[in-house]
Amino acid sequence: MSVKEFKLPDPGEGLTEAEIVTWNVKVGDTVKVNDIVVEIETAKSLVELPVPFAGTVTALLVDEGSTVEVGTPIIAVDTGGGAGAGAPTTVQDAPAEGPVEPGLEGSPAPKLAAEVAAAAADEEIEEGKIGGTTSTGRTAVLVGYGVKQTEAKRRPRKGSAAPEAPAAAPTAPAAPAAPAAAPAAAAPAAPAGGARALAKPPVRKLAKDLGVDLGSVTGSGEGGIVTRADVEAYAAGAGSQPAGTSGDATAAAGDAAYVAPVFAQSGERETRVPIKGVRKMTAQAMVSSAFTAPHVTEWVTVDATATMELVERLKKDREFRDVKVTPLLVLAKAMTVAIRRHPEINATWDEAAQEIVVKNYVNLGIAAATPRGLIVPNIKDADRMSMRQLAEAISALTATAREGRTQPADMSGGTITITNVGVFGVDTGTPIINPGESAILAFGAIRRQPWVVEQADGTETIEPRWVTQLALSFDHRLIDGELGSKFIADVGAILADPARGLVWG
């Protein structure tokens, strides 16, 4: 017997620990090279880890919910002694080829001290080579960026109700009828016989936080998957929620993923939630930013009626029929235009070098509230995108954040941020600057309000208009009042009259 241990690899971004969220295998399961065996949560994202060797699982060395440091053995696999001489016994022993994430010049790129690879179908791959497309016979893949991310469907877990068909069965005659497959067509009820409940990692984490046993919850999702709504309804004592309902409470504009908290009916007067993962990282970053950069906040109230009219026209335009059009899209475009007029707003303060670094590109951050906490993924090179491309990018960013799958690279290298507090019905606020940036703009709720309108003949009338408030917080070390005022005034002017974007852009 040859037992090898898989150590927790370095997820990069300076992170030194991660939480074991979900094991996809159990003791006795057989695994192949690159099988996804565990899902971990770092301070920035949920990541699926593939195993670098094949064999039989002999031990899960860390329990779900435990936080472990990089380099800690987490699973033991009996490889059967079939590995070649000199093969690495852990992921850390394999040489890394650290590919660089494109478009992240000037920002820390994720690193990986381990190599994992895309195993071709069920092909046996020699351990120590792990795949093979590069000149060295290996394929270097960042944690969370491998082939698993590009697949359309999840690979079934070992021991599930629908196991993978054996690869060596081409000569088996096709049966005229398959009555045994008929039960699989129906949506499964609650897991029985010790089978693992089907649920996405964010749902599992919610169930863990609420003290809900997923095996007791009836899934209403497609294929019997347990949804967030099912867990919340069960925790509230209402049993499983009917199929077709959604647990994501998203505001009408749909630009931020937000889930209302549900408190377990345990009878306890207090609940203690460990500070870790995204919330821990966010707290540290906000404290550092608030007490390092001198914040100044300015407000402007804008008649956004023309923006709302533009949004309605774009929704009917065939160029935008496949994407979601919201006022946030217009604001994002207005920001890029205003930055072109005032490039010094898109900068950062380099304390070590005593320099102001002006960025000639715009990586536009969109703050998103998720079940794991507040994250700020950004759209790379947003200033080079058309309105249609921006709409697609915002939709993809929001969907990924809602699923808890935002990767560290998507949150690195931001230059300026929008926080859309308006989706929660909030008028405005004083946002804290995202670390590494110098400005953040809060987008308030758009409401119907009385507004003084100047007519063509010079007279003034009071009319109901769509009105919103913008608030810009900026680092006063490098952005003075004049620059900040001109920038937010230009953004407001474009919302009031989107045609200005054509003139200024």
Side-chain angles (χ1 to χ4, degrees):
M1 183 172 70
S2 177
V3 178
K4 299 186 177 182
E5 293 180 342
F6 175 32
K7 297 180 180 179
L8 180 68
D10 178 8
E13 293 294 314
L15 305 177
T16 60
E17 63 182 19
E19 178 187 350
I20 304 299
V21 177
T22 306
W23 281 109
N24 295 341
V25 295
K26 61 182 182 297
V27 174
D29 283 351
T30 300
V31 294
K32 301 188 299 295
V33 173
N34 213 47
D35 273 357
I36 302 299
V37 295
V38 65
E39 290 160 321
I40 65 171
E41 179 180 11
T42 71
K44 293 192 175 182
S45 63
L46 283 171
V47 177
E48 294 178 326
L49 293 184
V51 67
F53 30 71
T56 302
V57 178
T58 60
L60 303 180
L61 305 177
V62 181
D63 294 332
E64 291 183 356
S66 299
T67 299
V68 296
E69 295 184 354
V70 169
T72 302
I74 59 176
I75 185 173
V77 177
D78 177 11
T79 61
T89 58
T90 69
V91 171
Q92 277 69 23
D93 295 327
E97 292 183 5
V100 178
E101 183 73 14
L104 292 183
E105 296 81 7
S107 65
K111 298 179 297 182
L112 178 63
E115 287 183 342
V116 292
D122 290 327
E123 202 172 74
E124 190 67 26
I125 297 177
E126 179 186 352
E127 184 197 348
K129 296 194 82 169
I130 310 182
T133 58
T134 68
S135 59
T136 61
R138 294 184 296 269
T139 300
V141 183
L142 292 175
V143 167
Y145 293 82
V147 293
K148 178 65 180 173
Q149 188 176 357
T150 63
E151 292 179 357
K153 298 189 295 184
R154 273 181 86 92
R155 178 185 294 125
R157 292 191 176 94
K158 301 294 181 181
S160 65
E164 197 173 48
T171 58
R196 189 180 186 83
L198 298 178
K200 294 182 178 180
V203 178
R204 292 187 182 280
K205 181 168 178 57
L206 175 65
K208 175 186 171 184
D209 293 341
L210 298 181
V212 173
D213 178 11
L214 280 176
S216 303
V217 182
T218 301
S220 64
E222 182 179 354
I225 293 178
V226 178
T227 67
R228 179 172 301 278
D230 298 332
V231 174
E232 292 172 347
Y234 189 90
S240 61
Q241 199 164 325
T245 60
S246 171
D248 287 339
T250 307
D255 297 322
Y258 172 74
V259 179
V262 176
F263 298 97
Q265 305 299 315
S266 60
E268 298 180 1
R269 290 176 62 83
E270 294 181 351
T271 300
R272 290 182 175 268
V273 179
I275 301 173
K276 55 186 178 180
V278 170
R279 298 184 192 278
K280 181 177 181 180
M281 180 67 74
T282 300
Q284 294 172 347
M286 292 299 97
V287 169
S288 174
S289 176
F291 292 99
T292 300
H295 284 56
V296 172
T297 304
E298 295 186 344
W299 295 264
V300 64
T301 304
V302 179
D303 176 2
T305 303
T307 288
M308 298 300 287
E309 293 172 349
L310 174 61
V311 167
E312 292 304 314
R313 289 199 301 271
L314 292 181
K315 287 180 178 179
K316 300 174 183 177
D317 192 312
R318 61 182 182 181
E319 287 290 325
F320 290 83
R321 61 187 173 188
D322 298 326
V323 296
K324 191 167 187 176
V325 179
T326 68
L328 178 64
L329 171 61
V330 183
L331 176 66
K333 190 63 176 177
M335 292 263 294
T336 62
V337 172
I339 289 171
R340 188 176 297 117
R341 287 168 58 84
H342 308 286
E344 298 87 355
I345 204 84
N346 191 51
T348 189
W349 180 275
D350 188 338
E351 180 66 29
Q354 286 296 292
E355 294 175 340
I356 294 173
V357 183
V358 179
K359 308 293 179 65
N360 297 320
Y361 56 91
V362 179
N363 289 349
L364 183 61
I366 307 290
T370 75
R372 299 174 57 243
L374 180 70
I375 63 173
V376 188
N378 61 77
I379 300 169
K380 302 294 190 289
D381 295 317
D383 55 318
R384 300 181 183 180
M385 293 183 177
S386 64
M387 287 277 282
R388 164 77 194 205
Q389 291 170 329
L390 266 178
E392 292 174 342
I394 292 174
S395 296
L397 176 149
T398 303
T400 303
R402 184 179 292 118
E403 294 170 1
R405 294 293 177 186
T406 303
Q407 297 299 324
D410 298 328
M411 293 182 280
S412 299
T415 63
I416 194 168
T417 295
I418 299 172
T419 176
N420 189 10
V421 298
V423 296
F424 307 115
V426 176
D427 292 327
T428 192
T430 56
I432 297 178
I433 302 166
N434 202 34
E437 302 174 12
S438 295
I440 180 172
L441 186 122
F443 187 22
I446 302 179
R447 308 179 187 279
R448 293 286 279 179
Q449 296 181 16
W451 192 263
V452 178
V453 179
E454 184 175 349
Q455 304 298 325
D457 59 2
T459 61
E460 295 180 342
T461 59
I462 297 178
E463 301 178 9
R465 308 284 284 183
W466 290 106
V467 178
T468 187
Q469 290 188 19
L470 306 177
L472 180 72
S473 290
F474 52 88
D475 186 341
H476 212 6
R477 292 176 298 179
L478 65 157
I479 301 174
D480 58 25
E482 179 184 13
L483 175 60
S485 300
K486 286 182 176 180
F487 175 79
I488 192 173
D490 280 359
V491 173
I494 296 174
L495 292 187
D497 182 8
R500 289 181 183 269
L502 291 175
V503 178
W504 292 345

